[in-house]
């Protein structure tokens, strides 16, 4: 009986440990998404300040950032800038969209 009780206690503690471990792994993915979102904002700000309006792909820290520009149909003086971050498996982690005036000033 004592052995069965000890095995039951061990199984409960191992299952609680697995739940905690899975929560930590899930938080790591969220940290990567948050980091990539901040990087996408930084890239968008840098490109707006430099006045660079070319579609391009940038690679930073093992992530690929795709920068695209499209004309706004409703407002001819605005351009929509989109910075999309993807990991090595082509999974989208973050996206930053900005409106850019024709004089190069960006808006969120």
């Amino acid at each position: 009986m004592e052995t069965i009780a000890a095995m039951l206690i061990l199984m409960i503690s191992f299952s609680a440990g697995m739940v905690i471990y899975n929560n930590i792994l899930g938080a790591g993915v969220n940290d990567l998404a948050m980091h990539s979102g901040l990087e996408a904002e930084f890239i968008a700000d840098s490109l707006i300040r430099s006045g660079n309006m070319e579609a391009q792909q940038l690679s930073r820290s093992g992530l690929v950032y795709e920068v695209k520009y499209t004309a706004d149909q409703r407002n001819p003086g605005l351009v929509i800038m989109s910075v999309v971050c993807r990991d090595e498996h082509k999974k989208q982690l973050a996206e930053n969209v900005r409106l850019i005036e024709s004089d190069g000033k960006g808006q969120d």
Side-chain angles (χ1 to χ4, degrees):
M1 255 345 229
E2 292 176 5
T3 306
I4 293 174
M7 293 295 288
L8 183 63
I9 292 171
L10 278 174
M11 289 181 64
I12 291 171
S13 62
F14 281 137
S15 63
M18 289 300 296
V19 169
I20 293 170
Y21 179 73
N22 286 334
N23 287 340
I24 291 172
L25 286 181
V29 172
N30 292 336
D31 287 342
L32 180 62
M34 184 178 72
H35 173 73
S36 62
L38 292 173
E39 283 286 328
E41 287 182 31
F42 174 73
I43 290 171
D45 287 339
S46 299
L47 291 174
I48 289 170
R49 286 191 182 130
S50 71
N52 187 350
M53 303 256 315
E54 296 177 5
Q56 54 189 306
Q57 279 192 345
L58 304 169
S59 180
R60 291 180 65 133
S61 306
L63 302 174
V64 177
Y65 296 87
E66 299 172 4
V67 182
K68 296 180 184 176
Y69 297 91
T70 55
D72 189 3
Q73 300 296 328
R74 294 174 288 175
N75 301 312
L78 297 176
V79 175
I80 300 171
M81 173 191 205
S82 173
V83 181
V84 177
C85 176
R86 298 183 190 280
D87 63 3
E88 65 271 1
H89 303 294
K90 305 287 186 196
K91 178 183 174 190
Q92 181 174 331
L93 298 175
E95 181 177 18
N96 190 298
V97 178
R98 303 274 178 102
L99 287 175
I100 303 173
E101 295 178 14
S102 59
D103 62 358
K105 295 181 182 175
Q107 301 175 357
D108 285 334

